[in-house]
Amino acid sequence: MSVLDENLQQHFSAIIEGSDDAIVAKDLNSIILSWNPAAERIFGYAAVEVLGKSITIIIPEDRRHEEVDFIERLRRGERIQHFETLRKKKNGELFPISVTISPIRDRNGEVVGASKIARDITGQHRAAEQQRLLLSEMKHRVGNSFAIASGLLRVCADQSSSVDEFVGLMRGRLLALASAHSLAAPAIAEGARASGERPLKALLEAILQPFTGSIPAGVKVEDIIVSRSAVTPLALVFYELCTNSVKYGALSSGDGRLSITGERSGHRLIINWTESFKRTSEQAVQGQGFGTAMCEVALKDQMGGTLERTFAPDGMRTRLDLSYSHVTADG
C-alpha cells in the first residue's frame, strides 16, 4: 500500500470514527462487519457485542421483511436513500431512524456487502408532532372564536338598553377575552414560560370575566398559589370549559348558574366545575372533541391529573383531580 493510499485510508477512518451518524458495514448475509462509535451511542451496543452477528439484532420483528428487501435490492446494485423506519436499541426501546444503504463492491465490481448510514430522527418526529398539535389547537381556537363571539353578543344584548351601551359592553368583553386567551395560550415563547405565579381564585376570575356577564358564577376555592408551570395548563382547561359553557351550557342563557369549588384532599386538589341550566334540544350532550382531549393531555402530562365530565338533564359537572404538588408553588 502506498503512502497516499495509507493516508486516504486513515482519513476515511477518521471520518467514520468521528461521524455523528451510525455507520455500519455488513455482508450479504446481513452479518455486521464494522460498527462505529456513533452506532454504539445510538443503538446502545458496543462493537464487540455485535460484530459477527446479524443486523436483525437491531430490527424489530415486524420490520425484518425490510432487511430481506434491502439485500435483494443491494444484490442488484441499488442504493437505498433516506428510508425512514423504526429500529430497536439494546434496552428494547424503539425509535425512528433515517437510513441510507449503499452496495460495497469487490475489485471485480461484484456486490459483496453494504454500507449503512443511520441517523436518529427522534427529534424531528417530536418537532413534527408538536407542530401538528399546535396547528390543530389553532384550528380549534379559531373555530371556537365564532361561537364565543355569538354567545357574548347574546349576553351583552341582554344587559344593554341602547346601542352605545351594547358597543361598550361588547368592547370590554372582547378585551377581557383577549386577556383570558393569552393566559390559556401554550407557553412556546420564552416570555410566556417566564410568566409568574398566580392565586388560583385570581386565575379563575381572569378567565371567567369575559364570559359570565350577569350570570352568577360562584367561586369558592382554597387560597393557594398556582406555580408558574401550572398556570398555562390550568388556564387552558378553564378557558376550554368557559367556551363550551358559552356554546352549550350555563353561560349560553340568562337562567344558567355556574359554581366552582376547589379544596385539597390529601395529596390531591379537587376542583368541581358545576353548571346548572335547563337543557334544550340545541344543548345536547357533547362528545369528546379536540378541546376536551387537549385538556385531558395537559392535565395528565403536566399536573398528574384527570378530567371527568358528568351530564344530567339540569346541567353538567366537570371534576378535575390534580396533584397538589404539581399545581402549587411549593411543588
Side-chain angles (χ1 to χ4, degrees):
M1 180 183 294
S2 68
V3 174
L4 178 59
D5 288 340
E6 185 176 349
N7 287 339
L8 282 173
Q9 185 172 353
Q10 290 175 353
H11 178 68
F12 291 143
S13 295
I15 291 174
I16 292 171
E17 292 295 303
S19 174
D20 290 330
D21 296 330
I23 301 177
V24 179
K26 63 182 180 181
D27 64 19
L28 293 181
N29 293 315
S30 299
I31 300 302
I32 298 170
L33 304 176
S34 69
W35 189 263
N36 74 337
E40 294 185 339
R41 184 180 68 256
I42 291 172
F43 294 102
Y45 289 99
V48 294
E49 296 180 277
V50 295
L51 291 177
K53 294 184 179 179
S54 173
I55 195 73
T56 55
I57 194 172
I58 61 169
I59 303 178
E61 288 188 13
D62 63 346
R63 301 269 177 162
R64 291 187 178 176
H65 63 279
E66 294 175 353
E67 180 63 15
V68 176
D69 179 60
F70 290 162
I71 294 298
E72 290 179 355
R73 294 171 63 181
L74 287 164
R75 288 183 187 277
R76 297 194 296 267
E78 293 184 28
R79 186 169 185 258
I80 297 101
Q81 296 191 68
H82 308 301
F83 181 84
E84 293 192 10
T85 185
L86 291 177
R87 288 298 179 256
K88 182 172 62 175
K89 296 187 179 184
K90 182 179 180 179
N91 63 8
E93 176 188 346
L94 300 181
F95 68 106
I97 66 167
S98 174
V99 295
T100 295
I101 309 174
S102 303
I104 298 175
R105 301 178 185 272
D106 62 13
R107 292 178 180 272
N108 298 318
E110 296 292 325
V111 177
V112 294
S115 172
K116 174 186 291 187
I117 300 176
R119 175 169 296 177
D120 184 346
I121 56 174
T122 301
Q124 292 94 313
H125 275 221
R126 286 176 180 166
E129 177 63 13
Q130 183 182 35
Q131 183 182 44
R132 185 190 69 80
L133 289 173
L134 288 173
L135 287 173
S136 296
E137 182 181 350
M138 182 178 68
K139 180 180 177 181
H140 170 73
R141 285 176 181 252
V142 169
N144 260 350
S145 296
F146 294 102
I148 294 169
S150 176
L152 292 181
L153 284 169
R154 184 172 55 250
V155 170
C156 290
D158 290 341
Q159 299 176 45
S160 306
S161 57
S162 67
V163 172
D164 288 342
E165 187 178 3
F166 171 78
V167 171
L169 283 173
M170 195 63 194
R171 181 185 292 113
R173 291 290 167 75
L174 290 174
L175 289 173
L177 182 62
S179 177
H181 186 277
S182 68
L183 284 174
I188 55 178
E190 187 61 36
R193 285 198 297 269
S195 59
E197 302 157 352
R198 288 175 178 267
L200 178 58
K201 187 174 183 180
L203 177 63
L204 270 164
E205 290 175 342
I207 300 293
L208 287 168
Q209 183 184 353
F211 296 96
T212 53
S214 61
I215 297 171
V219 179
K220 187 177 181 180
V221 296
E222 279 200 23
D223 187 20
I224 62 173
I225 301 298
V226 178
S227 65
R228 291 183 178 184
S229 60
V231 165
T232 293
L234 265 185
L236 172 67
V237 173
F238 295 146
Y239 185 88
E240 186 66 26
L241 289 171
C242 281
T243 60
N244 285 339
S245 185
V246 166
K247 290 190 289 184
Y248 316 117
L251 302 183
S252 66
S253 61
D255 59 355
R257 297 290 185 273
L258 173 62
S259 172
I260 305 167
T261 62
E263 62 180 359
R264 182 174 184 174
S265 177
H267 298 296
R268 312 296 295 177
L269 176 65
I270 308 299
I271 298 176
N272 287 307
W273 175 289
T274 305
E275 298 185 37
S276 301
F277 56 94
K278 187 177 297 184
R279 193 181 301 280
T280 67
S281 59
E282 294 180 354
Q283 293 169 315
V285 173
Q286 300 299 309
Q288 175 168 302
F290 175 77
T292 302
M294 181 174 59
C295 290
E296 289 179 346
V297 170
L299 293 179
K300 179 181 178 182
D301 292 351
Q302 300 181 52
M303 286 180 288
T306 59
L307 180 152
E308 179 184 351
R309 294 192 301 173
T310 304
F311 295 92
D314 60 347
M316 182 274 292
R317 188 185 78 165
T318 300
R319 184 176 188 268
L320 308 181
D321 184 339
L322 313 172
S323 166
Y324 189 85
S325 62
H326 282 60
V327 174
T328 58
D330 56 8

